Amino acid sequence: MTAPQTTERRIVLVAVGAAGYLAVELDDSGEETARHPLAASELAPFVSARERDASPRWVLRSARDVYPALLDEGVLLSRAHDLLLCHAILRDTDKVARPLAPSPLWVRREPAEDAAPALFDVVGEQEPEDPITEVLAQYREQRRVMADSKDGRLTLLCAAESAGGLIAEEMRAAGLPWNEAVHESILTEILGTRPVAGGIPSRMASQAARVRAILGDASLNLDSQPKLLRALHRVGVQVESTSKWQLSEHSHAVVEPLLAYKKLSRLLSANGWAWLAEWVHDGRFRPIYIPGGVVTGRWASAGGGALQLPRNLRAAVRADDGWTLVVADVAQLEPRMLAAMAGDRAMARAAQGADLYAGVVESGAVATREEAKYAVLGAMYGATTGDSGRLVPRLRKVYPRAMALVDKAARFGEDGGVVSTWLGRSSPRPSEDWSRMQAHATDADADPAEVAMARRRARDWGRFTRNFVVQGTAAEWSLIWLAEIRHRLRQFPESEVPAPASGAFSRHPHLAFFLHDEVILHVPKEQADAAADAVREAAEVATRRLFGSFPIDVPLDLRIAESAEK
DNA sequence: ATCGTGGGCGCG
DNA sequence: AAAGCGCGCCCACGAT
């Protein structure tokens, strides 16, 4: 693991007041060397000039504050330190003796939709008297905490997290190329003719009619779970819920059309014509990505359900003319991370090649690929019952080190402790409610029902911490992968053929979509092979930066295609 | 009317 | 109502 270079130019950039900015240049020791007040119109020229001669690390309160305006002007930042994102990491980490003092000034609050933009979207506090002094002090403290982590892991994590902050804004600016005509033809094919004025599409209406006929209620609202449940009971389908997995265990004639209706209904409400009109403009889907939006470090998203795009709509993701897509994902990222973190060479051997589950079968632990999958997922999620829970103990025999790592994480959690990812992102402390419940359960006169409940809540939290270390480390690998892809794409030459709707990236290959362990790049056709190489190299670098020479494979499933359809 | 909650289901 | 982690969004429904 190598820490990023220590001598680099740094410029603190903050929005001040309604329409201005302040840039403060720092020397290597963090001392201020120059200060530039900037009117809004001066921001883009100032930043692009500094980028040209020095590519500094920009210290930002948050990329989300200042970067969209720069991207609108076609100005890119090479590197950043995002104080808001790093505050969350450095505040909670248990990898240093003295972590960052928590401050509500540095916790993001989503502003109300119609609220005027504020400099500090803070929770329950006024803006500080002197924003720039507050920003400089916060940055110094964050540097102090990063430096306290002697192996450089927190520095690497903050650099990667900050790169993610830039990439999230860049992907929104560039957008995911989305072909509305393809989307509409998928909707028409599956749902039937588009309804006028919010009616029900034809195929959906006919499925609904079949269901109502079989249930003997012509006016039944199929979207009302209690009413549907009662109607099912009336015809003898004794389900406890209307979920599809329960319905599918019955052979009644209503099951097939009802499941079909549910599927169509889901497509219509989640990604139908209304979604298309709201979220796709100029051939681009532009969701809001929220880096670090999940406690494990995974990204969340807001608007348009970006992280839940159904696979049957992937065909609508289509490159512009003269451009193409590079679609890449990692097979079984999390168990590979687990093998490497635990230094489990037997599990790493099973992970050699494209299919880890096949390797687990070869090790003799289980008989089939399906069993291997359930066993591995069960190990990482903490399954105790069912097929999965039954298979987990077999893994303990063949991969004792890997299993010890997750078992220990679960035990820490059950005891109210904190666990951390490979780079030092730590799990949240359990709530006071939880702790009180656990303390109460040890009283001599504790109610047995309360003791049982406390036990269950303890195991719930243990499953969370068990998974935290694996999911969180996978998120770190993905962040470095993303940052390295971005870094490589920036070296590419301008393209002859533009993609005008991609804004600042209209002549440059760019990341267009990211989903935990998958990326979609939109690239000029002539650069497709080079971009694919960049994606593979970036994966290799991410693996080596996290795990050095430990022999773990992280193979990509990569293809170059006009469409993201599998 | 508006808000919070639970069921349900899409994604990894 | 999955078993076994992490999310966001839609709908109905009851409380306010």
Side-chain angles (χ1 to χ4, degrees):
Chain A
M1 203 156 355
T2 50
Q5 61 195 89
T6 51
T7 60
E8 56 186 7
R9 296 192 57 176
R10 294 186 296 278
I11 307 179
V12 181
L13 180 63
V14 294
V16 185
Y21 297 86
L22 188 58
V24 178
E25 300 194 55
L26 305 180
D27 65 16
D28 283 345
S29 59
E31 291 305 310
E32 178 175 339
T33 58
R35 185 172 279 223
H36 311 272
L38 301 164
S41 62
E42 297 171 309
L43 179 66
F46 175 86
V47 170
S48 62
R50 298 297 144 131
E51 276 290 337
R52 255 197 316 278
D53 61 50
S55 56
R57 186 174 296 276
W58 298 90
V59 179
L60 310 172
R61 194 191 80 95
S62 158
R64 225 192 291 176
D65 294 342
V66 295
Y67 204 18
L70 287 166
L71 287 164
D72 281 350
E73 302 281 333
V75 176
L76 304 186
L77 304 178
S78 351
R79 291 180 299 175
H81 179 92
D82 190 306
L83 291 163
L84 219 53
L85 294 176
C86 295
H87 172 268
I89 294 168
L90 301 173
R91 171 198 62 195
D92 291 342
T93 186
D94 76 341
K95 292 300 176 190
V96 295
R98 201 159 56 88
L100 198 65
S103 162
L105 278 177
W106 298 94
V107 174
R108 185 185 298 285
R109 180 200 62 190
E110 296 309 321
E113 267 178 36
D114 50 357
L119 170 55
F120 279 78
D121 296 329
V122 294
V123 180
E125 292 251 335
Q126 291 301 303
E127 286 193 10
E129 296 273 319
D130 178 1
I132 191 69
T133 302
E134 170 65 34
V135 168
L136 287 168
Q138 176 67 203
Y139 182 48
R140 289 202 182 96
E141 263 304 280
Q142 294 199 4
R143 298 250 300 165
R144 193 268 304 161
V145 178
M146 288 190 289
D148 282 357
S149 145
K150 295 289 183 273
D151 55 15
R153 291 189 190 202
L154 287 177
T155 305
L156 174 58
L157 177 54
C158 285
E161 184 83 346
S162 298
L166 297 179
I167 291 166
E169 298 309 320
E170 290 171 357
M171 287 200 299
R172 178 169 166 79
L176 178 65
W178 195 277
N179 188 308
E180 303 182 43
V182 171
H183 187 154
E184 285 181 348
S185 72
I186 293 169
L187 293 180
T188 307
E189 186 184 325
I190 298 177
L191 298 175
T193 323
R194 180 181 185 176
V196 287
I200 305 293
S202 57
R203 292 198 53 187
M204 199 171 143
S206 63
Q207 294 290 7
R210 287 176 65 198
V211 174
R212 291 198 188 93
I214 297 168
L215 293 179
D217 182 345
S219 63
L220 181 64
N221 177 3
L222 300 183
D223 296 330
S224 167
Q225 191 260 358
K227 289 174 187 158
L228 177 58
L229 197 56
R230 279 196 295 273
L232 287 165
H233 289 170
R234 274 199 299 274
V235 298
V237 181
Q238 296 302 329
V239 284
E240 288 168 50
S241 83
T242 62
S243 64
K244 64 178 182 185
W245 74 267
Q246 270 216 1
L247 288 166
S248 61
E249 294 188 350
H250 287 75
S251 55
H252 194 279
V254 78
V255 171
E256 185 266 320
L258 180 52
L259 290 179
Y261 170 83
K262 280 166 156 284
K263 208 167 176 59
L264 302 189
S265 169
R266 164 78 193 188
L267 176 61
L268 176 68
S269 68
N271 297 101
W273 290 275
W275 181 91
L276 191 54
E278 185 174 357
W279 292 105
V280 178
H281 299 106
D282 305 323
R284 292 291 186 275
F285 172 43
R286 301 176 194 277
I288 295 168
Y289 292 97
I290 304 176
V294 181
V295 283
T296 58
R298 273 188 173 184
W299 288 18
S301 72
L307 275 43
Q308 304 116 254
L309 286 178
R311 299 207 76 91
N312 61 5
L313 278 185
R314 293 295 184 93
V317 179
R318 290 192 70 100
D320 286 8
D321 288 344
W323 289 55
T324 191
L325 305 175
V326 177
V327 183
D329 68 280
V330 185
Q332 307 115 13
L333 177 59
E334 291 186 1
R336 293 173 196 278
M337 297 297 103
L338 172 56
M341 292 166 79
D344 191 318
R345 287 178 184 267
M347 191 166 174
R349 216 159 27 244
Q352 276 172 12
D355 188 7
L356 179 143
Y357 300 136
V360 172
V361 173
E362 277 173 40
S363 76
V366 295
T368 66
R369 187 178 185 282
E370 200 67 356
E371 284 188 337
K373 188 173 168 179
Y374 278 89
V376 168
L377 290 176
M380 294 188 303
Y381 294 160
T384 53
T385 63
D387 289 348
S388 185
R390 188 171 48 76
L391 292 164
V392 171
R394 305 210 208 158
L395 292 189
R396 264 189 201 95
K397 293 209 177 72
V398 284
Y399 312 127
R401 294 180 67 128
M403 290 305 300
L405 189 147
V406 283
D407 288 345
K408 186 176 161 199
R411 216 162 45 241
F412 267 56
E414 287 186 32
D415 293 344
V418 167
V419 298
S420 295
T421 62
W422 189 246
L423 291 184
R425 191 189 304 261
S426 296
S427 63
R429 280 71 184 162
S431 70
E432 288 188 15
D433 258 12
W434 186 96
S435 302
R436 220 178 358 249
M437 183 183 278
Q438 299 306 324
H440 192 64
T442 61
D443 290 351
D445 59 345
D447 177 347
E450 282 178 349
V451 173
M453 170 66 95
R455 245 346 262 156
R456 211 174 70 215
R457 294 277 303 273
R459 280 193 295 264
D460 288 346
W461 195 253
R463 283 194 305 277
F464 165 63
T465 53
R466 168 191 291 271
N467 186 248
F468 182 96
V469 295
V470 180
Q471 186 183 118
T473 301
E476 287 164 352
W477 185 94
S478 297
L479 266 184
I480 298 173
W481 186 38
L482 272 185
E484 292 292 332
I485 291 170
R486 173 183 188 266
H487 175 66
R488 281 163 180 72
L489 294 184
R490 285 175 64 93
Q491 323 296 323
F492 280 49
E494 281 204 347
S495 156
E496 299 287 317
V497 188
S502 291
F505 296 91
S506 58
R507 289 185 183 274
H508 291 284
H510 59 85
L511 282 156
F513 190 66
F514 168 55
L515 181 52
H516 308 319
D517 59 3
E518 172 185 7
V519 294
I520 299 177
L521 278 57
H522 188 219
V523 305
K525 263 191 179 140
E526 72 272 14
Q527 297 179 343
D529 289 331
D533 287 342
V535 170
R536 293 191 197 94
E537 281 170 28
E540 191 56 35
V541 168
T543 305
R544 298 282 75 91
R545 196 152 292 168
L546 284 182
F547 302 116
S549 60
F550 184 80
I552 184 69
D553 274 5
V554 185
L556 298 183
D557 179 3
L558 183 148
R559 62 193 188 280
I560 297 169
E562 307 289 300
S563 144
E565 192 177 20
K566 267 251 181 188

